[in-house]
Amino acid sequence: MKNGGDLSCVETAFEGIMRGDDVLESLIAGVNIVELDPEDTSVGYGGLPNADGVVQLDSCCMHGPKKQAGGVASLEGVRTPSLVAKAVMDYTDHHLLVGPGAQRFARNMGFDIEDDLNTERSRQQWLDWKRRIDPEHYLDPHKRTDAGHQAGMDMVREGLIREEDYYGTINCNGVNANGDVCGVTTTSGLAWKIPGRVGDSPILGAGLYVDGEIGAAGSTGRGEANLFGLCSYLIVEEMRRGQHPKDAGMEALRRIRKATIETRLLNDRGLPNFNVKFYVINRRGEHAGVSLYSPDDSYVYSVCTEHGARHERLDGLLEGSASG
Ligand code: GLY
């Protein structure tokens, strides 16, 4: 995804870091490309909306050396929530602003507030989902949630939306030659979510955690599974104890598997029926991408170093796929 430009997210971030720019500013410049891309339905402008058809965005960022952090959740009307998260970090005494308060803050900081962040594509996809459920019945809340989830999964199976866009998120972490490590996570969250639902992405310790002396970890995938164990924090703590990024990430995935016992969340093999992925880097620049499932070559993460940008295969914890 380059939004019509020459450079991808990781190439932009790497170029900024090599120029000597602040690492976090470089990473955010990278994710801004995808947030602003109308063709990408996982984050920012044109991200898949909530159940009411409203795009609500979440993001957080952490600066390792400065030991600062900021986040926004359920933010409407601003295409680049990662920049608002950074403004929370830079200009407030707080770590997280949500909903209308976050939007008012963004307006006061000079961000453009738009009525609607849907593109024609995200609106059409929402309409398709809406047609598949019958909100008039409202049955009991559980059945309605199941119906909504089922309709979303059917759309994935029919190739109308990408599986990764259902919980679509970007996490981008980086380190420079001084060992300055930073990270940012940005998302439009779970497609067709209950309005106000916030996943892991803007929550420090869940969607992202950075310790300037150790490294960074961030996630994509089913936010609820990650929130339950604050897995990015866990991963950084595992690295503090000397674990390699891959082993630290795998430990978090094992915890998620162990904590997943509700039948509705299990496939017919008794394993989680969703995916979660972690992207992990330490201060030395060693990195890993791990995933509950990584069934084929399309399960990759992007890396950019002095040798250029490339995809690396995600290491999977479990055989097969989430569907069974
Ligand atoms: N990981 C993104 C979300 O669950 O909202």
Side-chain angles (χ1 to χ4, degrees):
M1 287 285 177
K2 299 182 177 178
N3 194 15
D6 292 331
L7 299 181
S8 67
C9 169
V10 294
E11 288 167 333
T12 302
F14 186 73
E15 195 177 84
I17 291 171
M18 291 308 283
R19 245 193 336 257
D21 294 351
D22 178 78
V23 174
L24 182 56
E25 285 175 18
S26 305
L27 299 175
I28 289 177
V31 301
N32 287 165
I33 290 175
V34 196
E35 288 176 326
L36 293 169
D37 189 342
E39 294 302 314
D40 185 281
T41 55
S42 66
V43 300
Y45 177 54
L48 293 177
N50 67 21
D52 289 346
V54 177
V55 180
Q56 288 185 325
L57 304 174
D58 306 327
S59 180
C60 74
C61 62
M62 292 185 78
H63 198 292
K66 291 185 184 168
K67 300 201 182 302
Q68 291 180 339
V72 288
S74 288
L75 173 65
E76 297 176 15
V78 183
R79 296 185 182 201
T80 52
S82 59
L83 284 173
V84 187
K86 183 164 185 298
V88 172
M89 181 185 99
D90 287 337
Y91 301 115
T92 79
D93 183 34
H94 311 305
H95 285 329
L96 183 60
L97 295 179
V98 306
Q103 193 192 64
R104 269 198 297 279
F105 169 77
R107 181 181 284 113
N108 292 341
M109 289 289 114
F111 286 88
D112 283 340
I113 310 295
E114 298 177 59
D115 280 345
D116 185 2
L117 292 184
N118 276 292
T119 55
E120 199 44 37
R121 181 175 179 184
S122 65
R123 192 189 330 282
Q124 285 303 329
Q125 291 182 333
W126 174 77
L127 275 172
D128 195 334
W129 174 81
K130 198 73 177 163
R131 276 195 290 267
R132 289 165 188 252
I133 64 168
D134 186 356
E136 303 300 323
H137 286 151
Y138 273 100
L139 302 172
D140 66 57
H142 201 119
K143 283 187 185 153
R144 183 164 184 267
T145 305
D146 282 352
H149 180 71
Q150 202 44 54
M153 288 295 110
D154 286 348
M155 290 175 71
V156 171
R157 267 190 293 279
E158 291 168 31
L160 293 170
I161 56 174
R162 299 185 311 157
E163 185 183 1
E164 55 267 38
D165 284 357
Y166 193 64
Y167 287 103
T169 302
I170 295 179
N171 162 244
C172 189
N173 305 318
V175 62
N176 65 10
N178 297 331
D180 295 345
V181 60
C182 297
V184 59
T185 299
T186 183
T187 189
S188 52
L190 171 67
W192 341 125
K193 61 196 171 188
I194 292 177
R197 176 267 187 190
V198 174
D200 55 337
S201 301
I203 305 300
L204 306 180
L208 174 70
Y209 194 71
V210 179
D211 184 315
E213 276 131 53
I214 306 296
S219 66
T220 62
R222 182 177 157 78
E224 284 72 10
N226 177 18
L227 267 174
F228 192 76
L230 291 178
C231 292
S232 291
Y233 180 74
L234 170 70
I235 291 168
V236 173
E237 289 305 295
E238 287 292 314
M239 289 197 288
R240 192 191 305 281
R241 286 191 275 273
Q243 294 272 37
H244 184 275
K246 178 179 164 187
D247 299 322
M250 285 294 182
E251 175 59 22
L253 293 172
R254 279 192 287 275
R255 296 266 185 112
I256 288 176
R257 180 191 170 180
K258 202 163 170 214
T260 307
I261 58 169
E262 288 186 67
T263 320
R264 71 189 176 89
L265 297 173
L266 299 174
N267 61 26
D268 52 17
R269 294 187 291 147
L271 296 171
N273 61 13
F274 54 82
N275 211 354
V276 181
K277 302 168 188 173
F278 293 104
Y279 313 92
V280 191
I281 189 168
N282 64 22
R283 268 194 93 202
R284 293 190 295 279
E286 295 167 321
H287 56 86
V290 299
S291 182
L292 266 179
Y293 300 98
S294 182
D296 61 54
D297 290 346
S298 68
Y299 286 70
V300 293
Y301 66 109
S302 301
V303 177
C304 194
T305 66
E306 63 275 23
H307 305 302
R310 63 183 187 277
H311 286 147
E312 292 215 2
R313 183 76 189 269
L314 290 159
D315 284 299
L317 177 72
L318 303 171
E319 293 297 315
S321 69
S323 55

